[in-house]
Amino acid sequence: MKLDCYAAFLKGINVGGHKKIRMQDLKVSLNTLGFQHLSTYIQSGNVAFCTADADIPRLKTQIEDKIMTDFGFEVAVILRKATELHQIIENNPFLKEASDDSSNLYITMLEEKPEKQNLVKLLEFSFPQDLYEVIGKEVYLNCLNGYGNTKLSNDFFEKKLRLKATTRNWKTMLKMQEIQRSLE
């Protein structure tokens, strides 16, 4: 039986003391779903796993429902296959500009591709110290003054693109790719 590997990015857990989940508890919870090679990375809700189930919407719903059942709150889950995660990293248009310092690079992952009219509306906004580019289901960010100072927050993109999203720094994305590769 062929296993596909995935990265699940949970939105908004363990941020500012809200929606607290210990990663060990999350692993125990998600293990009951039959996932194999389950691994977590840091406390912000990054989970790598493999499964024979290739139905991404069903997997996403199973994880969200399990978190609701076991922890008592709603959490949006953005799911990417290992091949997608590799493509996300390869497609970063700001990598060359960042050269040796990638600390200002972030990826906002959207639940699906944004509708064209919402992308057009997004073009109305420009922030000189913050660069972004939407490619597929990802928004690539280069926050020259740091993510803590940007107007291009996760909430900004969720409101403008009318989609659920979660944002991770470049280091986390690279680590999740490394974890996924170790599972294959």
Side-chain angles (χ1 to χ4, degrees):
M1 168 173 40
K2 183 184 180 301
L3 297 178
D4 288 317
C5 294
Y6 298 87
F9 299 94
L10 284 59
K11 179 189 178 214
I13 67 162
N14 299 333
V15 177
H18 302 287
K19 296 185 177 181
K20 293 173 106 177
I21 302 177
R22 288 184 30 221
M23 291 302 97
Q24 185 57 39
D25 295 339
L26 181 62
K27 275 179 81 170
V28 169
S29 175
L30 296 182
N31 251 335
T32 65
L33 296 175
F35 298 153
Q36 296 182 32
H37 313 298
L38 192 62
S39 181
T40 61
Y41 175 66
I42 64 176
Q43 294 297 312
S44 59
N46 308 293
V47 182
F49 64 92
C50 299
T51 181
D53 188 346
D55 186 331
I56 292 175
R58 180 175 49 230
L59 289 169
K60 177 183 170 338
T61 300
Q62 284 178 329
I63 295 169
E64 290 173 344
D65 290 349
K66 187 67 175 159
I67 291 170
M68 175 58 92
T69 299
D70 290 358
F71 301 102
F73 45 79
E74 190 174 308
V75 171
V77 174
I78 304 294
L79 205 56
R80 297 292 187 261
K81 287 179 110 174
T83 53
E84 289 177 302
L85 189 57
H86 177 72
Q87 207 53 50
I88 291 166
I89 289 168
E90 290 293 313
N91 286 344
N92 193 329
F94 301 117
L95 260 183
K96 287 181 184 156
E97 292 171 24
S99 61
D100 293 334
D101 181 14
S102 61
S103 63
N104 293 326
L105 300 182
Y106 291 80
I107 306 288
T108 298
M109 293 168 283
L110 307 169
E111 65 182 340
E112 58 189 55
K113 285 184 181 179
E115 293 183 13
K116 189 170 183 147
Q117 69 265 20
N118 293 332
L119 284 171
V120 170
K121 288 180 191 174
L122 193 62
L123 294 174
E124 297 171 10
F125 299 91
S126 174
F127 306 102
Q129 291 300 308
D130 299 316
L131 308 171
Y132 73 91
E133 188 171 331
V134 181
I135 301 175
K137 297 185 290 185
E138 275 64 50
V139 181
Y140 294 86
L141 302 168
N142 188 356
C143 304
L144 302 175
N145 288 328
Y147 190 74
N149 298 314
T150 186
K151 302 279 189 214
L152 299 175
S153 68
N154 198 79
D155 288 342
F156 172 85
F157 287 110
E158 282 188 325
K159 288 176 185 167
K160 301 304 178 202
L161 297 175
R162 298 185 177 174
L163 293 169
K164 289 181 186 175
T166 191
T167 301
R168 297 295 187 274
N169 66 36
W170 189 243
K171 179 182 173 185
T172 297
M173 296 301 288
L174 292 176
K175 185 64 177 179
M176 288 301 292
Q177 180 185 42
E178 179 185 319
I179 291 168
Q180 275 192 329
R181 284 183 171 160
S182 74
L183 301 179
E184 296 175 331

